[in-house]
Amino acid sequence: MIAGEAPRALRGAAARAYGSPAAMSLGSLIVLSLSLGVAAWLFFMWTVKTGQYDDPEGPKYRMLEDDEGERKPSPPSKGDTSAHPSGGERDRGPERSP
């Protein structure tokens, strides 16, 4: 007897009980697909129950709103010139540039 091979008596009993090997594999594929379908349905029902689909439009508008606790940038102090050029260059706009 080869390892992994069932004896003839058991092979015959399995063939009579389940049909041909093609029918056994088809039956196992049907059971597998039904169980995956039920699992997907249960997952969908869980997402509906937990409110995943309540407001699909809200987050894209909510990100545009200002937060209540958001800090406004403070104006620079009078002695701080690091952000602005000094002297007359500060007043030059694009219309006066060479």
Side-chain angles (χ1 to χ4, degrees):
M1 177 166 55
I2 300 173
E5 188 176 315
R8 281 183 200 257
L10 291 178
R11 275 191 307 202
R16 284 190 302 274
Y18 297 111
S20 67
M24 288 190 328
S25 63
L26 181 64
S28 63
L29 287 176
I30 290 172
V31 169
L32 178 67
S33 65
L34 287 175
S35 62
L36 285 174
V38 167
W41 180 73
L42 289 173
F43 180 72
F44 173 72
M45 294 306 289
W46 174 76
T47 59
V48 168
K49 184 178 179 182
T50 57
Q52 298 293 321
Y53 307 111
D54 283 349
D55 186 18
E57 298 291 319
K60 69 180 176 183
Y61 295 114
R62 197 174 310 125
M63 72 178 180
L64 298 174
E65 297 174 0
D66 291 332
D67 292 339
E68 294 296 325
E70 185 177 316
R71 280 185 39 188
K72 304 278 188 231
S74 62
S77 62
K78 293 185 189 220
D80 185 19
T81 59
S82 62
H84 301 288
S86 63
E89 293 179 18
R90 180 178 2 177
D91 297 331
R92 289 183 72 177
E95 65 276 352
R96 291 186 178 177
S97 58

